[in-house]
Amino acid sequence: MKEKEKKEKNEKEEVKTDSGQEKEKETEKKGETPEKKADKKENEIEKLKAEIAEKDDKYLRLYAEFDNFRKRSNKEKADVYTNSKADIIKELLPVLDNFDRAAANSEADFDGYRKGIELIFSQFQQILDKYGVESFGETGETFDPSIHSAVMVTEDENLGENEIAEVFSKGYKLGDKILREAVVKVANS
């Protein structure tokens, strides 16, 4: 039996070598020698390297473009902030000028001085209204700890529970944003 197995094994090996030789002959017939195969692979490698270099270049350009966009956005944001501050200050300068004039006018009587201050106050209030700033915290309103700051408490039968009895300084808000809480005295809390 062993001899039979050896014979079969030898026959299989011969078939394998024959088929390997046939393949070599076929490739030679096609004109592909091992050198041509190596050249073909080299060309393919070069092509892949060129593609990688192109992709790297695209990536670096995209990264640089994004970095420039980020820097430009930050600069624009800073410019908007600076310009908005400058716009508001420009609006306030005439109010400051009017205060300077009132302080420099030593010849005005009390009523004239008072009228000037009321005009300046009105001018300032118009600027706040223009920008949507609203005041709150009036006497008689209900105390709300989220927008009022109670610095004193008093007991008074004439006022309701948690009612604002006195306002020391008004509160201001811009839309929903509280700029300053109202400082108040609260009754019966």
Side-chain angles (χ1 to χ4, degrees):
M1 257 196 161
K2 287 184 181 177
E3 286 180 32
K4 249 187 188 180
E5 286 175 11
K6 282 183 182 178
K7 240 184 194 183
E8 286 176 12
K9 193 175 182 182
N10 286 339
E11 285 175 7
K12 284 181 185 176
E13 285 178 11
E14 285 176 21
V15 170
K16 281 183 186 176
T17 10
D18 287 344
S19 64
Q21 288 172 351
E22 286 174 18
K23 283 182 184 176
E24 282 180 24
K25 288 179 183 177
E26 283 178 28
T27 54
E28 285 177 17
K29 284 180 186 176
K30 289 181 184 175
E32 287 187 23
T33 62
E35 290 123 15
K36 284 186 180 179
K37 279 185 180 180
D39 286 345
K40 196 174 183 181
K41 283 185 180 182
E42 282 294 319
N43 287 340
E44 197 172 317
I45 289 171
E46 289 302 317
K47 245 191 233 181
L48 291 173
K49 282 182 181 179
E51 279 183 42
I52 290 172
E54 183 182 334
K55 299 282 186 200
D56 275 353
D57 185 54
K58 281 183 181 178
Y59 169 76
L60 290 174
R61 288 178 188 274
L62 184 62
Y63 180 79
E65 193 174 317
F66 177 75
D67 192 44
N68 289 339
F69 169 76
R70 185 182 52 79
K71 288 175 184 175
R72 186 173 53 251
S73 295
N74 287 340
K75 184 180 180 329
E76 287 172 2
K77 186 177 169 183
D79 288 347
V80 165
Y81 179 72
T82 301
N83 290 339
S84 63
K85 282 191 332 185
D87 290 344
I88 291 172
I89 291 170
K90 282 180 191 175
E91 300 247 359
L92 293 174
L93 290 176
V95 175
L96 183 62
D97 292 340
N98 288 336
F99 273 122
D100 285 341
R101 284 188 205 98
N105 188 358
S106 59
E107 297 174 11
D109 60 352
F110 180 74
D111 288 335
Y113 190 72
R114 183 171 185 205
K115 186 176 180 179
I117 295 297
E118 287 172 356
L119 289 171
I120 294 170
F121 177 77
S122 173
Q123 182 184 22
F124 188 73
Q125 190 64 47
Q126 286 174 356
I127 293 170
L128 292 179
D129 291 343
K130 178 181 177 181
Y131 286 100
V133 177
E134 300 173 18
S135 65
F136 62 88
E138 301 292 329
T139 303
E141 288 181 3
T142 303
F143 175 74
D144 180 356
S146 64
I147 61 172
H148 300 109
S149 178
V151 291
M152 293 178 73
V153 177
T154 185
E155 297 296 325
D156 191 338
E157 301 105 32
N158 299 330
L159 299 172
E161 188 175 332
N162 283 334
E163 189 174 321
I164 296 175
E166 188 178 345
V167 178
F168 298 114
S169 63
K170 287 183 180 181
Y172 291 93
K173 64 182 180 174
L174 179 63
D176 291 338
K177 182 175 176 62
I178 303 298
L179 300 175
R180 181 178 79 185
E181 295 177 336
V183 180
V184 297
K185 180 197 291 189
V186 181
N188 307 320
S189 65

